[in-house]
Amino acid sequence: MELSRHGDTSGGRAVVRDQRVGSFMRYGVLVMFACLLLGAPPLLASAESHHISMKDRVFTPVTVTIKVGDTIEWINDDQDVHLVVSGKDLQDPSLGKPLDSGTLLPGQHFTFTFKEPGHYPYMCVIHWSLQSITGAGGMLGEVVVEP
């Protein structure tokens, strides 16, 4: 270990400083700079959690905007069973990809972490048809994931 000594004129004491600390700091700054240049997410950024309620055959909020890495928890606050399934309708080619909660009984929840930006429409397969039958309502929602 290499140490350097700097005089302290206030009391005649020697101040000892480990030069490795300076090297470590320089290395850390270089790593952070490289991450910024390469487009890596900031080291101090943290993911957030968001909640969507399922009640009275409606997702609340209907649309939510989040960041990549955030997690959404859908909570069945209703007396009915519900599902969270990717897609706009039953003919959607992305039906069930990536979201497929399975049946959620009252009080149960489903969580999903979004790793890619994009628009993710979803529905409750049991109750989505209310919109196609009545022209209003329907249990549909969308997650918008920003980079």
Side-chain angles (χ1 to χ4, degrees):
M1 175 168 75
E2 213 176 299
L3 299 176
S4 64
R5 296 191 179 271
H6 300 281
D8 180 0
T9 58
S10 65
R13 299 182 309 259
V15 178
V16 178
R17 183 174 65 92
D18 188 340
Q19 289 179 343
R20 292 179 300 173
V21 173
S23 296
F24 179 74
M25 296 285 286
R26 283 189 294 277
Y27 177 74
V29 169
L30 287 173
V31 168
M32 287 177 49
F33 185 68
C35 286
L36 289 173
L37 284 177
L38 296 173
L43 298 174
L44 300 178
S46 61
E48 293 186 29
S49 293
H50 307 268
H51 303 280
I52 296 176
S53 175
M54 295 175 274
K55 186 170 176 101
D56 299 325
R57 298 181 180 179
V58 174
F59 291 108
T60 306
V62 173
T63 302
V64 64
T65 301
I66 65 172
K67 299 284 187 191
V68 169
D70 286 0
T71 297
I72 293 186
E73 178 182 38
W74 285 266
I75 305 165
N76 186 353
D77 292 320
D78 211 344
Q79 297 302 311
D80 290 333
V81 298
H82 294 295
L83 294 96
V84 176
V85 178
S86 294
K88 297 177 189 171
D89 58 42
L90 295 178
Q91 279 69 45
D92 193 324
S94 66
L95 186 66
K97 298 174 192 164
L99 302 173
D100 187 358
S101 67
T103 303
L104 297 171
L105 300 174
Q108 290 185 322
H109 61 94
F110 168 67
T111 59
F112 187 83
T113 300
F114 290 83
K115 298 180 181 180
E116 298 288 330
H119 290 257
Y120 296 85
Y122 63 91
M123 63 181 158
C124 172
V125 175
I126 300 169
H127 301 112
W128 76 274
S129 62
L130 292 173
Q131 183 174 18
S132 62
I133 294 169
T134 65
M139 200 162 176
L140 305 167
E142 182 175 37
V143 177
V144 178
V145 183
E146 297 177 339

